[in-house]
Structures are given as structure tokens and as C-alpha cells.
Amino acid sequence: CPSPSDLRSANGTRVCAELYRDDSPYYDQCCAGAALTVEPGSDVPYMPRGWAGTVSSLVVGTRCELVVWSRRGKKGNSRKFGA
């Protein structure tokens, strides 16, 4: 997985988080497969089509916080992730 301070887009701008589909019991093989990028200041009450229930790994950048909910539309229990 990339380190939190290394999260950058292809053009070099800062990224707050990346969520990955593939996981592995071996740490060096985690953060694989398709990736969903979370830009700074994003507020997304629904996961993009095909992503609900499929995230297996995530990395949150420095100075960012990712809040996720157990139910769609920002309902249910929430959990916060940081770098």
C-alpha cells in the first residue's frame, strides 16, 4: 500500500484517500485491483455504482479524515479513519 504521505493523483495533486477492491493476507499484496480516489473536500453520501460492499483496503492521506457509514445515505453507524 502507498504511505499516507505519498497519496497523489497522476497529475501530482493531493488525494485524501484511496479505496481498493482486492485484498490479501499478505501486506505487500494488499491495495490491489481497482482503486477509488477520494479528493479533498469530497462529500459523497452514496458509493459509486459497483463499489458498495466491495472495498477491502484503504489508505487515508495525511491531514485527512475519511468517514464511512454502515448504511447508504449517511445512515447507520459511522466510523472515522485517519492516516
Side-chain angles (χ1 to χ4, degrees):
C1 295
S3 71
S5 60
D6 289 338
L7 285 183
R8 301 266 178 220
S9 67
N11 66 4
T13 59
R14 189 167 78 93
V15 170
C16 272
E18 283 192 338
L19 291 71
Y20 301 91
R21 281 207 176 147
D22 295 347
D23 193 11
S24 171
Y26 303 103
Y27 183 77
D28 62 339
Q29 296 175 15
C30 289
C31 301
L36 178 63
T37 300
V38 179
E39 300 293 330
S42 295
D43 184 12
V44 183
Y46 298 95
M47 291 295 284
R49 186 172 188 84
W51 277 91
T54 64
V55 175
S56 62
S57 305
L58 62 90
V59 177
V60 179
T62 55
R63 300 185 321 266
C64 285
E65 181 177 71
L66 178 70
V67 181
V68 298
W69 287 265
S70 61
R71 303 178 84 197
R72 65 186 200 161
K74 296 184 179 181
K75 304 219 189 267
N77 298 321
S78 66
R79 182 161 182 190
K80 296 179 181 182
F81 295 91

